[in-house]
Structure formats: C-alpha cells, structure tokens
Amino acid sequence: MDANTIRNLIEQGLPGARAAVQGDDGVHFEATVVSEAFRGKLPLARHRMVYATLGELMGGAIHALALRTLTPEEERV
C-alpha cells in the first residue's frame, strides 16, 4: 500500500475532498482530509466517513491511519 493510493481512494470516496497522506513503511499512515461533507459532524463521525472510503483495507493492508479531518473553514484557521 502507498500514500498516493490511499489519497486517491479517499478523494474518490468523498467527492470534493482534498487529502494529504504520508507514510513511509507501507502500513502506517497519517492523513489530513479537508471536506465540506464534515460540516456539522463530530470527529468520530468524520473518521468513520474516511474509513468507509477505504473499506476492507483498514486493519489489513492499512494497519494504522492517523487522521486529521477538517472543513474548509477549519483549515483556514
């Protein structure tokens, strides 16, 4: 697994989202995801939305994914 693949999956699964993903060992990753779809949602709900875009890869090919989830307004602060 690589960071670019994860970024593409997240951005395809959350239309309009922008994701920046990092990870050097192929199983542990960090991602910042900015999406209008996060508006009004608590962090846990936002994380679940991102995990849903990755499906069965979570806990398998992706062992760990640290997330920072923001709305466009939160990103500007």
Side-chain angles (χ1 to χ4, degrees), residues 24-74:
D24 295 329
D25 66 2
V27 293
H28 299 93
F29 298 92
E30 296 177 11
T32 298
V33 183
V34 179
S35 175
E36 187 67 39
F38 295 150
R39 183 177 310 286
K41 299 210 174 19
L42 295 173
L44 183 59
R46 294 175 179 196
H47 289 202
R48 286 181 178 155
M49 291 170 69
V50 174
Y51 294 149
T53 69
L54 301 172
E56 294 179 6
L57 294 173
M58 287 304 305
I62 302 170
H63 179 70
L65 176 64
L67 285 173
R68 184 169 181 236
T69 53
L70 305 166
T71 65
E73 290 77 19
E74 291 169 340

Side-chain angles (χ1 to χ4, degrees), residues 8-18 34-38 49 53:
N8 287 334
L9 288 169
I10 293 170
E11 290 179 351
Q12 289 172 9
L14 290 171
R18 286 181 288 109
V34 179
S35 175
E36 187 67 39
F38 295 150
M49 291 170 69
T53 69

